[in-house]
């Protein structure tokens, strides 16, 4: 098992890297199951972008493969939103809108980090994520402003995901240390901007503004929902069963 | 796909990609999409994911006007015997690309 990081920089790399890895793995579950061939390819592209980001971030945090495939669920630092199940296409889009809007705003600030690696990472990833955010918004608008059924599914998907949003703006001790060191931007600085951006998309989608729910926190400290364990079981099975396998 | 075939409801769009500046857009295939904006995104994800292009066009397939195969004879054969219409009687300088 890989060791758990404690210094703020490594912890921050793991948080962002695990977000990308887990969301990428989630999206890859759509492969071969998309509602249309074109959507299937589109989701696989998004998944590949995220796995690429995870490779960079976890590679900077340590041995990327070990961290991805030989770490236990309690040591994962991703936020709870990204590990939520795909549900239907609308729920997948809701999750992607809520995460990538946050991720995009974060990356736009991360390029002023004092950390050279993170600046380079942000410069590269921000273009990918801008596309993710736009695509998710486009689909949210079409489903919300579509048929009665698509609007209902979109609203339900957003409702499922919404309680996991506050966690992305939570600042705990380790994150505060990364902020104080100039490594990480303070997410609270763009929470208002985030909320109005989401409200803008919902308005265009003819969807009601979401009522705040009881926030669910803890992913950043390893307290995950049951869903993550199942995801990791599938993802880690092969390298854990055949640790010396090569291809 | 495990879908319910609903994508069959989506119109078809013809996709044209400009590989690099100076070249024309070329037809590369088609995608299904509910509207023009998503047709562009589907085209981007389907046909330019390996750096194939710098510009994309999508056109509703129903807007393509095609020549009638039955008229191929009268349309195209008269040109066959007119080799003098080919610019083959002078040398093209090496520096000229894409001809």
């Amino acid at each position: 098992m890989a060791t758990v990081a404690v210094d703020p920089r490594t912890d921050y790399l793991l948080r962002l890297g695990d977000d990308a890895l887990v969301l990428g793995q989630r999206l890859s579950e759509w492969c071969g199951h998309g509602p249309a061939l074109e959507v299937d390819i589109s989701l696989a592209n998004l998944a590949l972008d995220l796995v690429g980001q995870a490779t960079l971030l976890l590679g900077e945090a340590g041995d990327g493969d070990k961290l991805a495939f030989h770490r236990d669920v309690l040591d994962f630092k991703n936020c709870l939103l990204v590990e939520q199940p795909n549900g239907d296409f609308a729920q997948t889009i809701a999750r992607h809108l809520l995460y990538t809007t946050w991720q995009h705003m974060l990356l736009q600030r991360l390029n002023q980090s004092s950390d050279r690696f993170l600046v380079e990472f942000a410069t590269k990833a921000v273009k990918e994520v801008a596309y993710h955010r736009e695509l998710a918004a486009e689909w949210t608008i079409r489903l919300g402003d579509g048929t009665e059924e698509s609007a209902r599914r979109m609203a339900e998907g957003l409702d499922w995901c919404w309680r996991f949003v506050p966690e992305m703006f939570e600042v705990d001790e380790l994150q505060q240390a990364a902020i104080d060191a100039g490594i990480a931007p303070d997410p609270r600085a763009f929470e208002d901007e985030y909320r109005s951006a989401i409200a803008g998309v919902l308005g265009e989608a003819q969807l009601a503004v979401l009522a705040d729910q009881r926030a669910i926190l803890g992913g950043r400290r390893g307290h995950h929902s049951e869903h993550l364990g199942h995801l990791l079981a599938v993802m880690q099975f092969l390298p854990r069963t055949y640790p010396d396998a090569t291809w | 796909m495990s879908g319910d075939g609903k994508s069959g409801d989506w119109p078809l769009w013809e996709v044209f990609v400009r590989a690099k500046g100076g070249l024309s857009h070329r037809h590369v295939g088609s995608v299904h999409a509910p509207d023009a904006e998503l047709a562009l995104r589907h085209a981007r994800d389907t046909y330019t994911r390996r750096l194939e292009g710098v510009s994309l066009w999508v056109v509703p397939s129903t807007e393509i006007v095609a020549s009638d195969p039955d008229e191929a004879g009268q349309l195209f054969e008269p040109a066959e015997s007119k080799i003098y219409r080919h610019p083959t009687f002078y040398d093209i300088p090496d520096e000229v690309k894409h001809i």
Side-chain angles (χ1 to χ4, degrees), chain A residues 32-46 48-49 131 134-135 138-139 142 149, chain B residues 1-7 10 12 30-35 37-38 40-42 44-46 49:
Chain A
H33 301 276
L37 179 63
E38 289 83 352
V39 175
D40 207 274
I41 294 170
S42 169
L43 292 174
N45 271 339
L46 303 184
L48 283 172
D49 284 347
Y131 186 80
E134 275 178 33
L135 186 70
E138 298 272 9
W139 272 119
R142 277 160 185 77
E149 183 188 1
Chain B
M1 300 302 98
S2 63
D4 48 15
K6 289 245 175 76
S7 68
W10 290 350
L12 196 63
S30 52
V31 290
H32 288 97
D35 54 47
E37 183 59 34
L38 279 174
L40 268 181
R41 296 193 182 268
H42 286 169
R44 180 259 194 193
D45 287 336
T46 307
R49 51 195 299 270

Side-chain angles (χ1 to χ4, degrees), chain A residues 171-245:
Chain A
V171 174
D172 61 9
E173 223 171 280
L174 271 168
Q175 168 118 11
Q176 188 62 53
I179 294 168
D180 292 343
I183 297 169
D186 190 333
R188 291 167 300 195
F190 57 88
E191 184 165 5
D192 289 344
E193 187 187 334
Y194 176 89
R195 283 176 175 269
S196 62
I198 296 297
V201 174
L202 297 187
E204 223 179 310
Q206 310 290 324
L207 292 164
V209 177
L210 295 153
D212 278 340
Q213 307 172 17
R214 188 174 64 85
I216 304 189
L217 309 167
R220 300 295 189 205
R221 291 177 292 283
H223 303 148
H224 292 283
S225 61
E226 63 175 292
H227 307 295
L228 183 62
H230 295 289
L231 178 145
L232 294 183
V234 172
M235 189 180 82
Q236 297 183 333
F237 156 75
L238 189 86
R240 286 204 183 216
T241 311
Y242 304 98
D244 302 322

Side-chain angles (χ1 to χ4, degrees), chain A residues 91-108:
Chain A
Q91 186 174 316
T92 292
I93 290 298
R95 186 185 62 204
H96 215 64
L97 175 75
L98 296 180
Y99 182 72
T100 59
T101 302
W102 176 84
Q103 190 190 15
H104 187 232
M105 290 181 177
L106 182 86
L107 290 177
Q108 284 174 317

